[in-house]
Amino acid sequence: MKIALVGGLPEPIGGVTSFISRLAGNNLIDLVVDFYPSERKVMPSKFTGKIVYVKNIIKLIFYFWSTVFSWEKWLVHFNFSTEKSLLFFLFIPKVKVDYVLMLHHGDLNAGRLSFLYKMALARLDFVYCLSDKQKVFYESLGVSPDKLIRTSSFVPPLIDVENKNSKIYKSIDNFFENKNVLTCSGYPADIYNHDWCINFIREQPQFKLALFLYGTGDLSKHFKEIEDNYVNIKIFWSTEESAFNYALSKSLIYLRPTSKDSFGIAVADAASFGIKVLASDVCERYPGVNLFTPINYETFKLSLLALLNDQKLPVQKQLNFKKFNYNYFNGTK
């Protein structure tokens, strides 16, 4: 069985694209069909398969109509973000190829499009569930339990230090030199609650904050002004994954105070590096991660102070967590 993965490689960087990059870098897939055009694509250096680039979703539909009829014994894994992506399946042919879907967003809602979503999901052979919330969403749209595969989106990270002498690695080494750096990451949007991390540093100036931001948003200008006014806060913009993981491995604590989330690959990465993590309890996290309820800044602050003082916090239990693999389709369920 050959595996084609439809989605995007970094850039843009994020949990969805990093997931594909790691599968490719470990040669767990044979083909990547990437429909996120960018001049700054980060290629997995060890990937021996094929990468096909299409410019947009319309051309992706045409690509399927022109190629999928010739595929035999293929598994096509669609790696998308939100429920609106389901509409894509209404426009591609369904042939003798297994279609499996993974949506990464943690808050899926059918709303007025539920009828169309049901039609789209009926055309899929299997669906990956990343949480109990997702399972309820899919079942509400008529997906039978035998088509649902419970998994996580975690593929262990690799740190590529071949370019360790580059400017970004030197910048990371300089900022992380004193080993008192708290790290957070995400897009410049309200749901990440990055201002909580910044407020903590204002109150506790003995620590530093490394903020890794991707893309643009309403708060981009705000964060640029913050960096100009605080020497112990540094923003790394659109850092490629390997350099971010390098920084993560040097952090004192990784912070994930999101008010919405689906899993948080960076949370799992930090924990796998042996770094302490403080994450909101809005979704299932990597086992053993320290949790807090993101009611307001005070709840975050008290939890972070407790963690810094080695006090016990609620932790994520094992639950149904497992590292992602394709064993379900290889006869080792």
Side-chain angles (χ1 to χ4, degrees):
M1 180 187 65
K2 291 187 176 182
I3 299 173
L5 211 157
V6 182
L9 292 164
E11 153 127 357
I13 195 169
V16 181
T17 54
S18 293
F19 174 67
I20 297 179
S21 180
R22 294 179 189 189
L23 290 175
N26 287 283
N27 284 301
L28 298 176
I29 52 181
D30 303 282
L31 169 68
V32 176
V33 182
D34 187 322
F35 61 98
Y36 289 97
S38 172
E39 296 179 355
R40 299 179 56 197
K41 282 293 174 181
V42 180
M43 309 287 191
S45 59
K46 297 182 180 180
F47 182 44
T48 60
K50 183 180 179 182
I51 302 173
V52 174
Y53 293 104
V54 293
K55 290 186 177 180
N56 52 51
I57 197 74
I58 301 298
K59 292 194 174 183
L60 179 63
I61 292 172
F62 280 108
Y63 172 81
F64 266 87
W65 277 99
S66 63
T67 60
V68 75
F69 292 98
S70 64
W71 292 0
E72 292 184 12
K73 297 181 179 179
W74 278 77
L75 173 71
V76 185
H77 178 178
F78 296 91
N79 192 68
F80 297 152
S81 181
T82 69
E83 66 277 1
K84 291 182 180 178
S85 307
L86 293 172
L87 299 176
F88 168 79
F89 298 104
L90 300 176
F91 299 95
I92 63 171
K94 183 66 181 84
V95 294
K96 292 182 179 179
V97 173
D98 282 336
Y99 286 167
V100 58
L101 170 71
M102 177 183 284
L103 295 181
H104 286 251
H105 203 279
D107 190 15
L108 303 175
N109 294 288
R112 290 178 292 180
L113 297 178
S114 59
F115 177 71
L116 292 176
Y117 291 161
K118 284 183 179 180
M119 291 176 59
L121 286 166
R123 310 191 77 213
L124 296 170
D125 297 284
F126 300 97
V127 178
Y128 285 120
C129 288
L130 300 182
S131 66
D132 289 338
K133 286 183 180 179
Q134 285 198 350
K135 184 173 182 290
V136 170
F137 169 78
Y138 292 124
E139 289 180 338
S140 72
L141 293 174
V143 181
S144 62
D146 60 331
K147 288 187 175 183
L148 297 176
I149 305 170
R150 192 68 159 79
T151 187
S152 78
S153 59
F154 181 60
V155 178
L158 297 172
I159 299 178
D160 183 0
V161 293
E162 292 181 5
N163 299 316
K164 193 171 180 293
N165 293 323
S166 67
K167 183 178 179 181
I168 181 62
Y169 283 91
K170 289 180 179 179
S171 179
I172 291 170
D173 282 335
N174 289 336
F175 192 73
F176 282 73
E177 183 179 10
N178 295 327
K179 298 182 179 180
N180 63 341
V181 183
L182 310 179
T183 300
C184 58
S185 62
Y187 287 84
D190 287 328
I191 65 168
Y192 287 91
N193 292 320
H194 288 141
D195 273 337
W196 293 358
C197 305
I198 292 168
N199 288 341
F200 185 85
I201 296 299
R202 286 169 171 161
E203 297 176 9
Q204 306 287 334
Q206 70 271 32
F207 297 105
K208 293 181 177 181
L209 178 68
L211 177 53
F212 289 81
L213 293 178
Y214 305 101
T216 58
D218 296 337
L219 299 177
S220 296
K221 182 179 178 181
H222 164 69
F223 288 124
K224 289 176 181 176
E225 292 173 351
I226 290 288
E227 185 179 30
D228 291 339
N229 294 318
Y230 293 89
V231 295
N232 59 343
I233 297 176
K234 184 171 179 59
I235 299 179
F236 296 85
W237 293 92
S238 299
T239 305
E240 56 96 7
E241 183 186 4
S242 184
F244 170 65
N245 284 333
Y246 177 71
L248 201 58
S249 69
K250 298 168 72 70
S251 303
L252 179 64
I253 297 177
Y254 176 67
L255 306 173
R256 187 82 171 188
T258 47
S259 54
K260 291 183 180 179
D261 218 335
S262 57
F263 174 63
I265 287 181
V267 170
D269 290 347
S272 70
F273 290 142
I275 303 302
K276 289 182 179 180
V277 178
L278 178 64
S280 58
D281 60 2
V282 296
C283 64
E284 294 176 16
R285 300 294 191 182
Y286 188 85
V289 164
N290 298 284
L291 302 175
F292 80 102
T293 302
I295 299 172
N296 51 37
Y297 169 66
E298 285 300 315
T299 61
F300 167 74
K301 173 185 173 181
L302 292 174
S303 296
L304 181 50
L305 287 172
L307 184 59
L308 287 165
N309 290 314
D310 294 323
Q311 298 175 12
K312 287 187 177 181
L313 291 171
V315 298
Q316 177 68 61
K317 298 179 181 179
Q318 291 288 337
L319 298 177
N320 296 313
F321 180 83
K322 62 176 69 174
K323 295 177 183 178
F324 180 84
N325 59 60
Y326 287 107
N327 287 346
Y328 189 93
F329 302 101
N330 292 325
T332 55
K333 302 180 183 180

